[in-house]
Amino acid sequence: MLFHVRMDVHLPADLDPEMRADIVAREKAYSQELQRSGKWPHIWRIVGEYSNFSVFDVESGDELHDILSGLPLFPYMDIKVTPLAKHPSKI
């Protein structure tokens, strides 16, 4: 199943810089592992925002929920998920 996901990150301004660096490094490693596995085939930064548009290719909504809730930045994110289906006009 394909899902379009928008993730908006809202880190607290007073977050300890070392904690911030650690969370961001763990987020990068986790996301790259998912990209290598094919579960996260597309990720695009939204210009001017600490946000991204992503496409996930997973077995179910439950799997996607597990992946998203495992993101180190998850507690600081607003996430919008849209299930995708094949378009009848696609060639």
Side-chain angles (χ1 to χ4, degrees), residues 16-74:
D16 176 74
E18 288 181 23
M19 180 180 270
R20 177 189 171 103
D22 176 64
I23 292 170
V24 170
R26 288 187 293 117
E27 180 84 8
K28 183 176 182 176
Y30 182 65
S31 70
Q32 288 180 346
E33 175 185 326
L34 289 163
Q35 290 172 64
R36 285 186 201 94
S37 76
K39 299 283 183 186
W40 195 339
H42 301 284
I43 182 171
W44 295 275
R45 178 175 303 276
I46 300 171
V47 175
E49 300 180 31
Y50 194 174
S51 304
N52 73 74
F53 285 131
S54 293
V55 173
F56 286 84
D57 188 357
V58 294
E59 294 298 317
S60 66
D62 290 332
E63 182 183 11
L64 178 62
H65 179 79
D66 289 344
I67 287 170
L68 295 176
S69 63
L71 290 165
L73 287 172
F74 180 77

